[in-house]
Amino acid sequence: MEDIRKEFPILNEYTYLNTARFCALPKSVIKAQHAFLDHVNTHGSWKFDPWSTLYESTRTQAARLIGGQADHTFFLPNVSLGFNMAAQYLPKRKVICLQDDFPSVHMAWKSHGFDVQYLNYKSDSFYGKLSTALSLPNQILSVSWVQSEDGFEIDLKLIFDLCKENDHILVLDGTQGLGAIPFQIDPEVNCLFLASGFKWLMAGYGIAVGHASDNILEYIKPMQGWNSVDGAGISSGAKSLEVGHATYLNAAALIEGIELINQISIETICQHNLVLRKHVETWCTQNGVRFKSYNSQSSIISMEVKTGDFARLADNNIQVTNQGDFIRISPHLYNNASDIEKLLDLIG
């Protein structure tokens, strides 16, 4: 992993432990985007075949990362748009959401007139209440795979099974997991999966990955635009959701981020990140400092800090997320134990 660090210019200036907010960008992503901009600067709209090929290669690689199919995979500018599309086109069913989940995951449902029930994932009885809530058929479960606040990772096998048993629709935000934790979509679940590219996928702003099962595509097929039609009419499959111009610039970034993940392997990245998270947990336990984390694969951890600690970290070019009495630490493949030690030395 140490050799990877030189590929991230921000590490020359900062100790960057803030991937849950925004990723550090590798040189390969910047280079790929520069190459696209150089092309349009030189050739305009001509000689675009290589970029069209790269765009479809990005779709294929994104599908492989989630264990899905390329013809069920699509790109959007962001995940929030995906949730609003879901709320606009999916059938009016009761929606189960989690308290304190990311706003994009639950806000659109209410504004589109859905009946929304909230469950507290921080409760010891959460999974029992979730199972009870989903015991009635034909509902929508709209949740984050990993909670951005504290790294809680929902039991994917359980929710996949519950959704299959009772014919639920699952709308799953994978933003805080995809690229850091192994994932396999269940083809038997009626699922709309969405994940932003600007966190653990290291692609920067402007692109999100979507994957939709067949019945989901049937619900939202009214999406139309010049890019969703072909000679025979409306394009089939998930590609029909890309209604305007292709996001070549952002796809060039995304495939570079995915290739870096594949180069290391998602399993290796996950274990590396967990070691760093557990380093923080051990220090907190030994020093009597409160922290929020779970027995999960997420590398997100929040730890309590004293007044002035966040400012001290910022003054020393250490980037984390300020949560008031806590800070959120979210290391990724480009971090090492020395980064964690720098942070802990300043807090201790």
Side-chain angles (χ1 to χ4, degrees):
M1 288 290 191
E2 287 300 315
D3 290 342
I4 292 294
R5 286 172 64 85
K6 65 179 180 295
E7 298 301 317
F8 294 85
I10 196 172
L11 300 183
N12 295 325
E13 183 72 19
Y14 295 96
T15 300
Y16 196 80
L17 294 161
N18 210 18
T19 305
R21 172 161 285 184
F22 184 81
C23 61
L25 288 173
K27 292 178 182 178
S28 58
V29 165
I30 304 301
K31 182 179 179 181
Q33 292 191 309
H34 281 173
F36 174 78
L37 294 174
D38 287 343
H39 178 95
V40 295
N41 186 46
T42 304
H43 299 291
S45 62
W46 283 15
K47 302 182 179 180
F48 245 65
D49 285 350
W51 297 106
S52 297
T53 299
L54 180 69
Y55 188 82
E56 292 307 317
S57 296
T58 306
R59 188 192 310 280
T60 299
Q61 291 298 325
R64 288 176 180 169
L65 187 64
I66 62 177
Q69 299 171 271
D71 62 351
H72 286 239
T73 303
F74 59 97
F75 300 123
L76 293 173
N78 54 66
V79 160
S80 295
L81 175 60
F83 274 94
N84 277 273
M85 287 168 51
Q88 183 174 357
Y89 289 107
L90 291 182
K92 283 290 190 297
R93 300 180 178 181
K94 185 176 182 180
V95 181
I96 307 298
C97 294
L98 305 186
Q99 292 176 11
D100 301 322
D101 206 337
F102 197 73
S104 300
V105 181
H106 62 88
M107 289 183 64
W109 303 108
K110 280 196 169 183
S111 66
H112 283 81
F114 286 78
D115 176 19
V116 180
Q117 177 185 352
Y118 289 92
L119 298 178
N120 180 11
Y121 72 86
K122 300 174 185 178
S123 167
D124 292 339
S125 59
F126 165 63
Y127 282 115
K129 291 181 178 179
L130 178 63
S131 298
T132 299
L134 294 177
S135 61
L136 297 176
N138 299 316
Q139 300 184 75
I140 296 172
L141 176 61
S142 180
V143 295
S144 292
W145 170 17
V146 175
Q147 292 295 315
S148 63
E149 176 192 342
D150 54 20
F152 172 80
E153 179 189 4
I154 200 164
D155 186 336
L156 288 180
K157 184 181 185 306
L158 175 64
I159 64 171
F160 286 164
D161 288 344
L162 289 171
C163 288
K164 286 186 289 187
E165 288 171 8
N166 296 296
D167 198 28
H168 300 312
I169 292 174
L170 173 63
V171 186
L172 183 64
D173 182 0
T175 296
Q176 293 291 6
L178 193 63
I181 305 172
F183 181 78
Q184 174 65 58
I185 198 77
D186 188 329
E188 297 180 5
V189 177
N190 301 325
C191 181
L192 175 62
F193 176 84
L194 301 160
S196 293
F198 69 95
K199 298 183 187 287
W200 308 93
L201 292 174
M202 302 174 292
Y205 291 124
I207 193 165
V209 177
H211 189 277
S213 57
D214 286 327
N215 71 319
I216 301 296
L217 291 174
E218 291 177 3
Y219 286 127
I220 57 179
K221 67 181 179 182
M223 299 293 291
Q224 297 178 20
W226 74 267
N227 196 38
S228 64
V229 298
D230 55 29
I234 301 297
S235 299
S236 60
K239 188 177 179 181
S240 65
L241 304 180
E242 299 167 13
V243 294
H245 63 272
T247 56
Y248 295 109
L249 179 68
N250 306 104
L254 179 59
I255 196 169
E256 291 296 332
I258 292 174
E259 287 182 352
L260 180 56
I261 290 167
N262 290 338
Q263 174 188 330
I264 300 170
S265 92
I266 190 70
E267 292 79 12
T268 300
I269 293 168
C270 184
Q271 290 304 310
H272 170 81
N273 294 353
L274 279 177
V275 168
L276 297 181
R277 190 197 84 191
K278 290 181 184 299
H279 190 158
V280 179
E281 290 178 353
T282 299
W283 185 91
C284 288
T285 300
Q286 291 174 346
N287 289 275
V289 175
R290 287 198 303 158
F291 64 93
K292 303 174 187 176
S293 73
Y294 297 86
N295 185 22
S296 70
Q297 299 177 94
S298 167
S299 62
I300 296 173
I301 179 172
S302 292
M303 62 179 294
E304 191 174 30
V305 291
K306 302 181 294 294
T307 301
D309 279 348
F310 179 79
R312 186 179 305 108
L313 293 175
D315 289 343
N316 284 273
N317 288 346
I318 297 177
Q319 289 202 35
V320 292
T321 299
N322 188 356
Q323 294 181 322
D325 292 336
F326 287 76
I327 57 170
R328 182 183 64 185
I329 305 161
S330 48
H332 200 12
L333 59 90
Y334 37 73
N335 294 116
N336 60 19
S338 294
D339 293 337
I340 302 297
E341 288 296 338
K342 288 178 184 177
L343 179 145
L344 297 177
D345 285 346
L346 285 169
I347 291 176

